[in-house]
């Protein structure tokens, strides 16, 4: 690890100010992606701006027809939120599948989304529910937020403050874990909220999280696993590595989508 | 059996300190003025070193010195060696290329060390290491053993043409050819035994301390065999004479073979400590471990089985290419030869066997012994061939095995080994009962109802343990004898210290060895302590590997205890004014035969030391005895593992639905520890079969260079194991012990692959049989679910 300065602001405004003064700085929102690459000397931020003491950035709250989760809410806290389990169990099931207990007790929803790891779970949940990412500057629809592998619509100095998830009547996540890392080799989030039907896939695409329009179209008739029977997802554009071929990933998208639909409609 | 004696499931003494964080591992040891070593490692698999510039690095803060391979050579530090001579079939000796602890001319694998920074802190050392400028001329690399000998392959070492270290063989080639000509049926398989990365929980570490006043060195390191490390570092590397070098292997957190070997880092720390006149410590990081700890397996094999009209095996032949990596590690030459081909008879009466092995260099991390070392590779060849042969002949795989089992002992195989005891039918029968084989069909149909295919796989394995009779291994090329030593020190108050040349790094010797002493001397288990791992305390020993500590190490303790008893009887005789021949020893009491006169063990111990009851002319005071025990034969643990798998047809994911292991380990000292050893072994074997596999790309970069890509088995990958025992005593040592440390890792891979191929209805699937691989196989040949 290289030397860096460490800052621990208590307000979002202070954090934004520190970021502005440290153009080579990074936000620390849990650190389970950032710190390992710093230890390997593959990242060299000049400053870390730790968000853990910033007020008002944690918690799960029911607000009207949405659930709002503070960006610094730890995965473990999201997973055990009674409110969430009650109104949106499909989303509540996502953080429990992330990493191991250590990761779940440090990692945060904001950190995960801002990093947009192509194998991360939360991006599928955001896109799969049509969430709104609320920053210190604006509100960004999930459809516009994830712009490619490790890339988002966030601008310099922009900090995710909270994420608002509309409550979908039917929603579920199914994940096939990467055997070594525990990330999603493929993960599929499905939801139905009135006419808004979404199927979002993480882990599989070489350009990060994406929606499967062919599935969504088919599900408009009937939100059931049967509706997507026989529809295949092309292998082109899928990730290829030692753990899974593009063909296998494409196949898993279909299998997991059906399983998620079964769960969502149970 | 006493409460804490032989056969009792005593809780491990050592666990209190381990689970309360009070273990003392090498990295926990600190010396005043300690410095840190940070190695500069090659990013290339194969390159010529044109120039190394350390000037900028030396100026960095906290840097004490930066040392290179050229300085190492100038100081005449010797190369690392491989200690087992193998001769090729043409009689020529193996071609061992130089292995300097720091490369000076060429680097031969990614991670090969070229320089070392000695700094006040690791962070400063790392900063400085980045400033070492190495000018490389990158050369083409070869990583695949099957391609290492070809014309197009780059030659790695100048004096080793075709990268071929030896071309060895064993058995009667002509007789085997005749048997294959006469065969009614021949089963053929191409097998890759996948390369594994050991991943002991504690990474390797070394701390070297130079005492300028005495011109002597002390090395704390993560070793399974500190005396062998001292011998090699003294006699071959030439760092210091043996009496000026103390090697201490304190608590060691797992080895699995990877800590047997003498590595460059410990040599460099010793050399550097003398140069900078301060203690030098190095602790490997996990990513460094992936690139420097000796890997395991990596065989490419073509194997064939000849059968007669009655389904009897008449011959087996195998041709194997073994990847030894960029340099020959300490015992690497023996693993694919005498630890492999000698076990190709398995549990079967096979009249003729012939095996050829080519060992090759590649631009990969050195490969050496890893849990089982050669024997898992042999078992995999035999048990896969047998399974496939049975299926091809339309025979039940258990009936086919029974038809070919060795049934009388001793049995001389055509590949050196003379099996001395066993009952292979007994373990198969017991395992089949525990696995409820007769209801397998019902379970298979039940799985089919849930979209899953079920399969059952057997592995009736054998291994040679209790390594080993010195004369025998000497005749096969070993550079050392493989006896073991023990010293039993009885203190005046009757407590006992046992010094052993074996070394525990997870096996629980402090418990099991104490159980033996407690039972034998009739003293409390708590009154016995076991001392190991320090060359200044223990006179000499060969360390722990090859499931030898029970069979060989405890036998040495038994011999020393015999001598203790004999001497104690003399003391007791003087105490009770009786002839030593009239003294009986039982349950910790010395009794004059036919009388009620007796003295306790503690009294005798005290009298041995105060020496008031006898004169020096009659008897030497004290109660301490030493023994060196050399076994008469290997031991042959064997057994049957049955694995049942359930495969998700949609995802290809294999779940292990049930696992039964019935092993014959001879005498069991502590069944709880033995069961733990079996569990761990199976976990590693399942890891190899389903999950693990080191992958290099064509340029020699290790793709699976971290735990994010190299899949270690986790608890959730494994079922609860059903473990049973059968027992035939080993006639080759006084306790009848056979050894249990490697059995699981040897038996498991074949059991898993036999089960998966049974489920899929295919002949073969390569390891690791990942979900993706199984799914792909099912796309080609859709399985019948029931």
């Amino acid at each position: 690890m290289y030397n860096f300065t460490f800052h621990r602001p208590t307000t979002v405004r202070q954090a934004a100010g520190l970021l502005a003064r440290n153009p080579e700085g990074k936000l620390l929102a849990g650190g389970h992606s950032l710190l390992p690459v710093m230890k390997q000397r593959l990242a060299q931020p000049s400053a870390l701006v730790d968000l853990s003491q910033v007020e008002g950035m944690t918690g799960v709250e029911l607000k009207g027809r949405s659930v709002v989760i503070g960006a610094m809410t730890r995965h473990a806290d999201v997973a055990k939120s009674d409110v969430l389990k009650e109104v949106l169990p499909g989303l509540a099931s996502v953080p429990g599948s992330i990493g191991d207990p250590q990761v779940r007790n440090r990692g945060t929803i904001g950190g995960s989304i801002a990093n947009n790891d192509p194998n991360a779970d939360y991006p599928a949940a955001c896109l799969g529910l049509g969430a709104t990412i609320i920053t210190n500057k604006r509100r960004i629809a999930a459809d516009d937020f994830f712009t490619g592998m490790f890339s988002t619509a966030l601008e310099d100095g922009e900090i995710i403050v909270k994420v608002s998830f509309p409550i979908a009547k039917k929603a579920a996540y199914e994940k096939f874990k990467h055997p070594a890392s525990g990330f999603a080799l493929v993960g599929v989030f499905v939801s139905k909220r009135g006419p808004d039907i979404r199927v979002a896939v993480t882990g599989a695409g070489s350009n990060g999280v994406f929606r499967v329009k062919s599935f969504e179209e088919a599900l408009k008739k009937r939100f059931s696993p049967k509706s997507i029977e026989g529809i295949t997802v092309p292998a082109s554009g899928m990730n290829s590595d030692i753990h899974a071929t593009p063909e296998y990933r494409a196949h898993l998208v279909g299998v997991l989508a059906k399983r998620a639909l079964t769960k969502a409609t149970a | 059996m006493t409460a804490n004696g032989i056969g009792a499931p005593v809780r491990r003494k050592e666990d209190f300190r381990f689970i309360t964080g009070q273990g003392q591992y090498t990295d926990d040891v600190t010396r005043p003025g300690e410095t840190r070593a940070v190695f500069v490692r090659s990013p290339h698999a194969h390159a010529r070193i044109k120039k190394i510039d350390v000037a900028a690095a030396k100026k960095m803060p906290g840097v004490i010195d930066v040392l290179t391979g050229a300085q190492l050579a100038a100081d005449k530090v010797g190369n690392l060696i491989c200690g087992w001579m193998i001769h090729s079939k043409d009689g020529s000796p193996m071609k061992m290329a130089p292995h300097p602890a720091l490369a000076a001319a060429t680097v031969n694998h990614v991670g090969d060390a070229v320089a070392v920074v000695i700094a006040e802190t690791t962070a400063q050392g790392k900063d400085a290491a980045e400033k070492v400028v190495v000018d490389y001329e990158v050369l083409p690399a070869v990583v695949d053993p099957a391609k290492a000998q070809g014309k197009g392959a780059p030659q790695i070492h100048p004096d080793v043409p075709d990268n071929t270290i030896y071309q060895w063989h064993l058995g009667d080639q002509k007789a085997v050819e005749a048997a294959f000509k006469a065969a009614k049926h021949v089963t053929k398989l191409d097998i890759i035994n996948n390369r594994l990365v050991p991943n002991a929980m504690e990474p390797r570490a070394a701390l070297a301390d130079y005492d300028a006043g005495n011109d002597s060195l002390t090395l704390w390191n993560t070793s399974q065999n500190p005396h062998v490390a001292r011998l090699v570092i003294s006699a071959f590397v030439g760092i210091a004479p043996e009496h000026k070098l103390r090697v201490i292997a304190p608590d060691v957190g797992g080895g699995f073979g990877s800590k047997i070997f003498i590595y460059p880092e410990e040599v460099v720390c010793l050399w550097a400590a003398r140069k900078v006149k301060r203690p030098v410590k190095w602790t490997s990081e996990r990513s460094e471990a992936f690139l420097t700890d000796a890997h395991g397996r990596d065989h490419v094999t073509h194997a064939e089985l000849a059968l007669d009209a009655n389904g009897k095996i008449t011959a087996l032949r195998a041709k194997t290419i073994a990847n030894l990596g960029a340099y020959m590690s300490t015992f690497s030459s023996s693993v694919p030869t005498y630890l492999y081909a000698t076990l190709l008879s398995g549990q079967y009466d096979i009249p003729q066997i012939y095996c050829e092995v080519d060992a090759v260099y590649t631009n990969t991390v050195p490969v050496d012994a890893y849990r089982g070392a050669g024997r898992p590779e042999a078992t995999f060849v035999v048990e896969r061939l047998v399974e496939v042969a049975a299926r091809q002949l339309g025979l039940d795989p258990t009936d086919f095995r029974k038809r070919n089992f060795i049934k009388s002992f001793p049995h001389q195989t055509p590949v050196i080994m003379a099996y001395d005891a066993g009952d292979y039918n007994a373990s198969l029968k017991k395992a089949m009962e525990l696995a409820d084989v007769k209801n397998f069909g019902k379970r298979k149909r039940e799985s089919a109802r849930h979209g899953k295919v079920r399969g059952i796989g057997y592995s009736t394995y054998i291994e040679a343990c209790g390594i080993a009779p010195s004369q025998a291994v000497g005749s096969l090329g070993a550079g050392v004898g493989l006896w073991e030593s023990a010293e039993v020190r009885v203190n005046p108050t009757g407590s006992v210290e046992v010094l052993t040349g074996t070394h525990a790094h997870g096996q629980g010797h402090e418990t099991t060895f104490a159980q033996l002493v407690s039972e034998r001397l009739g003293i409390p288990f708590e009154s016995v302590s076991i001392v190991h791992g320090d060359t200044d305390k223990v006179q000499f020993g060969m360390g722990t590997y090859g499931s030898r500590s029970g069979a060989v190490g405890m036998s040495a303790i038994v011999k020393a205890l015999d001598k203790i008893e004999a001497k104690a009887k003399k003391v007791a005789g003087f105490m009770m004014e009786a002839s030593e021949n009239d003294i009986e020893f039982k349950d910790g009491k010395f009794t004059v035969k036919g009388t009620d006169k007796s003295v306790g063990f503690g009294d005798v111990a005290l009298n041995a030391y105060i020496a008031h009851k006898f004169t020096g002319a009659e008897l030497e005071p004290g109660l301490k005895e030493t023994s060196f025990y050399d076994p008469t034969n290997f031991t042959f643990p064997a057994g049957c593992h049955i694995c049942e798998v359930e495969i998700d047809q949609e995802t290809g994911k294999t779940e292990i639905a049930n696992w039964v292991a019935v092993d014959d380990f001879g005498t069991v000292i502590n069944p709880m520890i033995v069961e733990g050893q079996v569990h761990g072994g199976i976990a590693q074997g399942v890891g190899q079969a389903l999950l693990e596999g080191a992958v290099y790309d064509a340029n020699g970069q290790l793709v699976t260079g971290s735990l994010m890509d190299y899949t270690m088995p986790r608890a959730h990958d494994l079922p609860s194991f059903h473990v049973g025992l059968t027992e035939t005593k080993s006639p080759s040592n006084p306790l009848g012990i056979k050894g249990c440390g490697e059995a699981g890792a040897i038996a498991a891979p074949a059991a898993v692959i036999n089960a998966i191929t049974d489920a899929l209805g295919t002949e073969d699937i390569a390891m690791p049989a990942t979900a993706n691989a199984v799914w792909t196989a099912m796309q080609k040949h859709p399985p019948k679910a029931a």
Side-chain angles (χ1 to χ4, degrees):
Chain A
M1 200 177 272
Y2 298 102
N3 281 338
F4 56 88
T5 57
F6 184 77
H7 306 278
R8 186 173 265 174
T10 53
T11 65
V12 175
R13 181 187 283 270
Q14 281 175 10
L18 283 161
L19 260 192
R21 287 193 294 281
N22 294 280
E24 300 297 311
K26 285 258 185 204
L27 294 175
L28 183 66
H32 274 65
S33 297
L34 179 58
L35 296 185
V37 290
M38 287 173 67
K39 285 184 181 171
Q40 290 172 304
R41 299 183 158 234
L42 298 172
Q44 192 175 1
S46 62
L48 285 188
V49 179
D50 175 19
L51 297 177
S52 66
Q53 304 301 312
V54 174
E55 286 160 18
M57 278 183 80
T58 58
V60 181
E61 261 185 285
L62 188 59
K63 278 201 176 162
R65 302 171 74 89
S66 294
V67 178
V68 179
I69 302 178
M72 283 300 289
T73 314
R74 313 278 177 197
H75 303 324
D77 294 327
V78 177
K80 64 185 179 214
S81 159
D82 289 332
V83 175
L84 196 60
K85 277 190 265 186
E86 168 85 31
V87 301
L88 199 42
L91 176 59
S93 76
V94 173
S97 76
I98 299 173
D100 48 37
Q102 289 84 347
V103 169
R104 292 195 288 275
N105 280 299
R106 294 305 304 167
T108 63
I109 183 168
S112 171
I113 294 169
N115 193 42
N116 194 17
D117 186 303
N119 299 294
D121 301 282
Y122 267 130
C126 290
L127 197 58
L129 280 165
T132 302
I133 288 87
I134 300 160
T135 76
N136 56 337
K137 294 181 179 166
R138 57 185 168 143
R139 301 167 66 90
I140 310 168
D143 285 305
D144 303 324
F145 183 83
F146 302 103
T147 54
M149 198 183 273
F150 294 108
S151 127
T152 66
L154 288 171
E155 290 163 2
D156 286 347
E158 195 168 14
I159 300 171
I160 301 174
V161 180
K162 48 188 106 167
V163 187
S164 174
F165 293 92
I167 296 168
K169 207 166 175 195
K170 292 174 180 171
Y173 183 56
E174 274 288 319
K175 169 181 183 179
F176 192 89
K177 282 191 179 188
H178 183 294
S181 73
F183 273 84
L185 194 71
V186 177
V188 180
F189 199 103
V190 299
S191 78
K192 174 174 168 46
R193 186 171 55 96
D196 190 19
I197 285 169
R198 288 170 172 262
V199 178
V201 176
T202 188
S206 55
N207 206 26
V209 64
F210 66 94
R211 288 172 68 176
V212 187
K213 295 288 177 191
S214 59
F215 285 2
E216 291 176 358
E217 281 304 316
L219 289 167
K220 276 182 185 158
K221 284 189 203 108
R222 194 167 154 236
F223 193 74
S224 144
K226 284 219 167 63
S227 304
I228 59 167
E229 206 100 25
I231 305 175
T232 55
V233 177
S236 64
M238 294 290 169
N239 269 326
S240 175
D241 54 39
I242 59 166
H243 299 286
T245 59
E247 291 73 23
Y248 182 57
R249 280 191 163 93
H251 167 75
L252 282 182
V253 169
V255 171
L256 297 175
K258 273 179 238 158
R259 289 183 182 181
L261 286 164
T262 304
K263 215 197 259 180
T265 53
Chain B
M1 184 176 94
T2 59
N4 293 315
I6 292 173
V10 183
R11 285 201 186 176
R12 291 169 26 124
K13 277 187 175 189
E14 44 276 79
D15 283 349
F16 176 75
R17 74 172 186 277
F18 292 150
I19 63 181
T20 56
Q22 296 178 87
Q24 278 289 306
Y25 298 88
T26 297
D27 191 59
D28 295 320
V29 180
T30 53
R31 302 295 295 161
E34 181 175 292
T35 67
R36 295 292 179 143
V38 172
F39 286 86
V40 179
R41 300 189 179 279
S42 171
H44 307 294
H46 194 198
R48 190 168 292 121
I49 301 170
K50 289 161 76 179
K51 195 176 165 227
I52 302 182
D53 185 351
V54 300
K58 276 189 171 182
K59 286 187 203 129
M60 292 290 286
V63 171
I64 295 145
D65 208 344
V66 182
L67 304 168
T68 64
Q71 286 164 283
L72 188 88
D75 284 356
K76 302 210 167 10
V77 174
N79 291 322
L80 293 157
I81 54 126
C82 175
W84 194 304
M85 172 54 72
I86 297 294
H87 286 90
S88 285
K89 356 179 177 184
D90 65 4
S92 62
M94 66 186 189
K95 297 186 178 71
M96 179 166 65
H99 183 193
L102 291 175
T106 59
V107 287
N108 295 304
H109 67 90
V110 172
D112 210 352
V114 297
V116 64
V117 176
I118 311 297
E120 298 291 345
T121 68
T122 301
Q124 288 172 326
K126 284 187 176 187
D127 285 342
E130 286 183 356
K131 305 287 181 195
V132 174
V133 184
V134 188
D135 188 3
Y136 291 106
E137 178 195 340
V138 178
L139 303 169
V142 61
V143 297
D144 182 348
K147 292 178 185 156
Q149 293 168 298
K151 279 217 169 67
Q155 185 165 333
I156 298 168
H157 297 287
D159 296 327
V160 189
D162 284 329
N163 298 316
T164 302
I165 299 164
Y166 54 71
Q167 294 187 295
W168 175 87
H169 69 162
L170 183 67
D172 187 337
Q173 185 176 16
K174 282 201 178 123
V176 166
E177 269 170 23
F180 270 87
K181 267 198 194 121
K184 195 82 186 152
H185 181 85
V186 173
T187 293
K188 300 176 181 183
L189 268 182
D190 286 298
I191 292 169
I192 289 178
N193 206 288
N194 44 330
R195 185 184 182 104
L196 304 176
V197 184
N199 276 308
M201 195 181 291
E202 180 206 18
R204 286 191 298 117
L207 168 62
D209 192 3
Y210 178 58
D211 176 348
N214 292 309
D215 189 29
S216 68
L217 284 153
T218 302
L219 172 71
W220 286 263
N221 72 337
T222 47
S223 176
Q224 298 179 218
N225 45 351
H227 286 89
V228 177
R230 185 180 64 159
L231 175 65
V232 171
I233 293 169
S234 293
F236 296 93
V237 185
I239 289 282
E242 246 179 316
H243 66 295
K244 293 283 190 187
L245 175 60
R246 178 182 184 185
V247 178
I248 303 170
D251 285 331
V252 175
F256 313 110
S258 72
K259 290 172 181 167
I260 298 171
F261 322 121
I262 291 81
Y263 284 95
E265 291 83 4
E266 54 226 41
V267 167
V268 169
C269 285
L270 284 164
W271 170 61
R274 184 183 259 150
K275 268 190 122 61
V276 304
K277 297 201 166 45
R278 283 176 64 181
V280 176
K281 184 190 273 182
W282 168 77
T283 302
S284 178
E285 296 186 352
R286 185 63 60 188
S287 7
E288 212 174 3
F290 270 94
L291 297 177
T292 61
D293 291 1
H295 291 181
R297 320 281 190 252
D298 210 348
H299 283 197
V300 178
T301 297
H302 176 76
E304 301 184 359
L305 200 64
L307 300 130
D308 70 11
N310 301 317
K312 284 277 291 170
I313 303 167
T314 55
L316 181 154
R317 65 184 168 201
K319 163 101 211 220
T320 294
I321 303 171
N323 189 354
L324 297 194
Y327 303 102
M328 289 185 78
S329 174
T330 316
F331 289 109
S332 58
S333 57
S334 65
V335 175
T337 50
Y338 291 110
L339 294 176
Y340 165 66
T342 54
L343 272 305
L344 285 175
S345 197
Q347 296 187 354
Y348 310 103
D349 184 5
I350 305 180
Q352 295 297 340
I353 295 174
Y354 180 67
C355 180
E356 293 175 278
V357 179
D358 285 8
V360 297
Y361 282 119
T362 60
N363 295 111
T364 62
V365 178
V367 178
D368 206 325
Y370 171 60
R371 202 169 191 170
R375 292 152 291 171
E377 295 91 320
T379 291
F380 195 73
V381 168
V382 175
E383 287 304 296
R384 287 292 299 126
L385 275 175
V386 164
E387 190 80 21
V388 172
R391 291 178 196 167
Q392 288 176 346
L393 296 176
L395 295 169
D396 178 90
T398 62
D399 290 338
F400 178 73
R401 282 176 168 86
K402 281 186 226 164
R403 194 175 296 193
N404 285 285
F405 274 160
I406 294 162
K407 291 174 192 85
S408 69
F409 297 87
H411 174 88
Q412 178 63 53
T413 72
V415 279
I416 299 177
M417 292 300 178
Y419 299 170
D420 47 17
D423 185 345
Y424 307 142
N425 264 324
S427 46
L428 175 62
K429 184 164 175 277
K430 187 167 176 181
M432 288 175 72
E433 284 164 13
L434 282 175
D436 189 23
V437 170
K438 63 177 191 301
N439 287 313
F440 172 72
K442 210 188 275 175
R443 294 194 294 276
K444 191 171 171 71
R445 287 190 294 277
E446 181 60 27
S447 296
R449 275 195 282 278
H450 299 98
K452 294 183 174 174
V453 280
R454 205 174 183 98
I456 190 164
Y458 301 84
S459 178
T460 49
Y461 75 96
I462 193 164
E463 52 172 329
C465 294
I467 290 174
S470 298
Q471 196 175 38
V473 294
S475 74
L476 304 178
V480 289
L482 290 169
W483 46 266
E484 196 45 76
S485 84
E487 183 178 318
V488 176
R489 292 181 185 167
V490 180
N491 296 317
T493 54
S495 63
V496 172
E497 279 136 31
V498 176
L499 287 78
T500 171
T502 62
H503 184 278
H505 29 278
Q507 295 87 345
H509 295 170
E510 289 169 55
T511 302
T512 49
F513 291 11
Q515 285 180 255
L516 164 65
V517 176
S518 165
E519 170 151 326
R520 180 63 195 274
L521 298 182
I523 60 172
F525 171 73
E526 295 75 21
S527 300
V528 186
S529 62
I530 307 300
V531 179
H532 61 225
D534 185 341
T535 59
D536 263 14
K537 291 182 182 166
V538 179
Q539 55 189 353
F540 208 95
M542 300 312 297
T544 287
Y545 40 82
S547 303
R548 69 188 302 277
S549 303
V552 191
M554 289 181 90
S555 296
I557 299 173
V558 167
K559 277 191 72 184
L561 288 169
D562 287 345
K563 292 181 189 175
I564 290 283
E565 183 181 323
K567 171 93 182 266
K569 277 181 174 168
K570 287 184 182 152
V571 177
F574 282 108
M575 289 167 69
M576 294 185 283
E577 294 171 339
S579 157
E580 62 180 282
N581 298 321
D582 291 335
I583 306 286
E584 282 175 339
F585 180 56
K586 203 175 167 239
D587 299 333
K589 257 192 191 163
F590 296 86
T591 309
V592 181
K593 233 183 266 178
T595 74
D596 58 0
K597 270 168 88 173
S598 72
V599 286
F601 182 79
D603 262 356
V604 172
L606 183 64
N607 273 278
Y609 283 94
I610 60 174
H612 293 169
K613 305 279 190 192
F614 50 88
T615 68
E618 290 167 316
L619 188 64
E620 281 181 24
L623 196 52
K624 185 198 92 161
E625 297 290 350
T626 295
S627 158
F628 284 74
Y629 172 79
D630 205 352
T632 55
N633 192 359
F634 291 86
T635 62
F636 298 95
C640 175
H641 286 219
I642 302 178
C643 166
E644 215 167 296
V645 297
E646 209 180 34
I647 297 168
D648 182 333
Q649 281 189 277
E650 286 186 320
T651 64
K653 189 165 167 55
T654 300
E655 293 281 349
I656 294 174
N658 192 28
W659 196 287
V660 168
V662 174
D663 300 290
D664 177 359
F665 296 137
T667 303
V668 166
I669 305 293
N670 183 325
M672 181 197 72
I673 287 180
V674 165
E675 193 169 323
Q677 288 282 327
V678 172
H679 286 198
I682 296 170
Q684 279 173 308
V686 169
Q688 169 162 30
L690 289 181
L691 305 163
E692 298 183 52
V695 178
Y696 280 94
D697 71 13
N699 298 320
Q701 296 294 333
L702 184 60
V703 179
T704 51
S706 84
L707 295 173
M708 294 293 277
D709 276 308
Y710 186 87
T711 313
M712 292 295 286
R714 267 86 153 181
H716 67 245
D717 295 312
L718 302 161
S720 284
F721 305 113
H722 302 283
V723 176
L725 292 168
T726 57
E727 185 182 294
T728 61
K729 303 263 187 206
S730 166
S732 307
N733 61 68
L735 292 166
I737 291 175
K738 293 186 178 177
C740 66
E742 299 153 292
I746 292 169
V752 174
I753 297 302
N754 286 341
I756 292 177
T757 51
D758 177 55
L760 299 182
T762 59
E763 214 153 71
D764 195 20
I765 189 162
M767 298 193 288
T770 61
N772 193 165
V774 171
W775 176 78
T776 305
M778 289 192 295
Q779 299 313 296
K780 284 184 196 138
H781 303 282
K784 278 186 269 174

